[in-house]
Amino acid sequence: MRNQNVAESVVALLRAMEEGLLTPAVRRDRSQVGELLATDFMEFGSSGRVWNREQILALLASETPSKIVMREFECWEIAEGVVLATYRAERIDPGSGEHTSSLRSSLWVNEDGEWRLHFHQGTRIAP
């Protein structure tokens, strides 16, 4: 694991927040997700769509839950209080059992002692 210039306590916290965002209980709870997303949050989805904060909050609250596993989590400090987190997400579709994988990157910013997610991107990995 490469965690460039990032304190282990910050890596652990960001990993826990990212893992939370992968769990159905958190994903479907608008207030929990809202606490993690910055007001100017933007996502480039693995589908190719661009999402803003309100769109993601609505999408996650209504999605069909599926199991998502995080692998290869790493962090890099981009600037003081700004961390890029990357990982591989493996999703299992509950209906079909189909496995899909994507590479994920998240830009976290520490705002007044609280970490907020400003940008996220998912890129599908070809089977």
Side-chain angles (χ1 to χ4, degrees), residues 42-64:
M42 178 177 28
E43 177 172 332
F44 293 168
S46 60
S47 64
R49 288 198 56 190
V50 178
W51 306 90
N52 66 30
R53 184 178 193 276
E54 287 305 313
Q55 291 168 325
I56 282 294
L57 289 171
L59 174 72
L60 294 181
S62 65
E63 77 176 355
T64 302

Side-chain angles (χ1 to χ4, degrees), residues 33-45:
V33 176
E35 285 292 315
L36 297 173
L37 302 184
T39 56
D40 65 349
F41 173 81
M42 178 177 28
E43 177 172 332
F44 293 168

Side-chain angles (χ1 to χ4, degrees), residues 2-124:
R2 296 176 292 181
N3 294 309
Q4 302 299 316
N5 301 321
V6 182
E8 287 303 315
S9 60
V10 172
V11 172
L13 177 61
L14 295 179
R15 182 181 182 112
M17 289 190 294
E18 287 279 2
E19 286 177 329
L21 286 168
L22 298 178
T23 63
V26 172
R27 291 171 78 83
R28 299 193 87 180
D29 186 328
R30 186 179 180 93
S31 67
Q32 283 190 65
V33 176
E35 285 292 315
L36 297 173
L37 302 184
T39 56
D40 65 349
F41 173 81
M42 178 177 28
E43 177 172 332
F44 293 168
S46 60
S47 64
R49 288 198 56 190
V50 178
W51 306 90
N52 66 30
R53 184 178 193 276
E54 287 305 313
Q55 291 168 325
I56 282 294
L57 289 171
L59 174 72
L60 294 181
S62 65
E63 77 176 355
T64 302
S66 61
K67 182 176 181 175
I68 305 172
V69 177
M70 176 189 290
R71 307 225 189 274
E72 303 168 20
F73 187 82
E74 298 180 344
C75 290
W76 287 267
E77 184 177 52
I78 304 303
E80 186 173 337
V82 180
V83 173
L84 174 66
T86 63
Y87 59 95
R88 176 185 301 262
E90 297 174 358
R91 179 188 299 258
I92 303 169
D93 184 277
S96 67
E98 178 185 7
H99 291 248
T100 57
S101 294
S102 58
L103 298 175
R104 306 284 182 104
S105 60
S106 297
L107 190 63
W108 290 90
V109 178
N110 191 313
E111 299 173 348
D112 299 320
E114 299 289 331
W115 288 96
R116 298 283 183 256
L117 182 56
H118 280 258
F119 177 79
H120 182 75
Q121 180 170 357
T123 303
R124 282 207 180 127

